[in-house]
Amino acid sequence: GRALASCHTAAAIIAGDLRAPLPMPDIDTGEFGGEEEPVEGGEVTEEAREEARAEVAKRWSVLVDRISGWSRPNSTNAANLMDKFVEEVANDESLGIEETDLDDLIAPAREGLTAYHEIERSDFDNAKEYQEARADAWGEFVDALDVDFSDLGE
């Protein structure tokens, strides 16, 4: 109980996640205890998978809302946010999601971002065509952020 709580706190501090929730004692017993592991016979339950998918989708939604709300496209910040998302989700052992699974799901978004980033002014006759191409590419990138996480972790 208490050792488990201390391990979670220490792990959060070591990982640099000082925003991690601190373990709280049970209100009735005052004992520290973790949630039961979502496994039956060593296998991850479907309920646990669904909860993990919902949590990943929620985190992704925050990222999408943030990027979609920018007044100007910023491919560097978008790439950094996606990298941070993958790293945080893959490192969150409670979710049990592999980095490669995440990379596969968001690959179309990364490709769209790369296409936006690779547009060069010298490839266009005038600034208007260049700006239109960039606006179209950014729109395609934002559309590609619509990711379905329903098969994640299977």
Side-chain angles (χ1 to χ4, degrees), residues 23-151:
M24 300 298 292
D26 181 275
I27 197 161
D28 296 321
T29 65
E31 293 292 318
F32 284 87
E35 295 179 18
E36 291 184 24
E37 293 293 320
V39 295
E40 293 174 2
E43 293 296 319
V44 176
T45 64
E46 187 56 35
E47 180 181 354
R49 279 193 194 101
E50 287 300 321
E51 288 175 10
R53 288 183 198 121
E55 177 62 24
V56 172
K58 180 178 141 187
R59 292 181 188 186
W60 184 253
S61 176
V62 169
L63 177 142
V64 171
D65 289 347
R66 186 169 177 189
I67 291 173
S68 299
W70 290 343
S71 60
R72 294 184 316 146
N74 187 322
S75 60
T76 302
N77 284 350
N80 289 341
L81 284 174
M82 289 194 307
D83 290 344
K84 183 177 178 183
F85 167 82
V86 170
E87 181 181 341
E88 287 180 357
V89 170
N91 288 334
D92 187 337
E93 293 179 11
S94 70
L95 296 174
I97 305 295
E98 297 292 326
E99 186 173 337
T100 54
D101 293 339
L102 288 171
D103 284 334
D104 290 346
L105 283 175
I106 67 170
R110 286 194 190 275
E111 291 166 6
L113 190 58
T114 299
Y116 170 83
H117 188 72
E118 290 177 346
I119 294 174
E120 295 184 17
R121 171 64 180 95
S122 62
D123 294 337
F124 297 89
D125 294 332
N126 58 55
K128 182 180 179 186
E129 289 177 2
Y130 169 69
Q131 288 301 329
E132 288 172 354
R134 285 178 55 94
D136 290 345
W138 186 259
E140 290 174 16
F141 160 67
V142 171
D143 290 345
L145 292 173
D146 186 14
V147 176
D148 178 11
F149 291 99
S150 62
D151 293 332

Side-chain angles (χ1 to χ4, degrees), residues 6-17:
S6 297
C7 288
H8 286 304
T9 303
I13 292 169
I14 291 169
D17 187 2

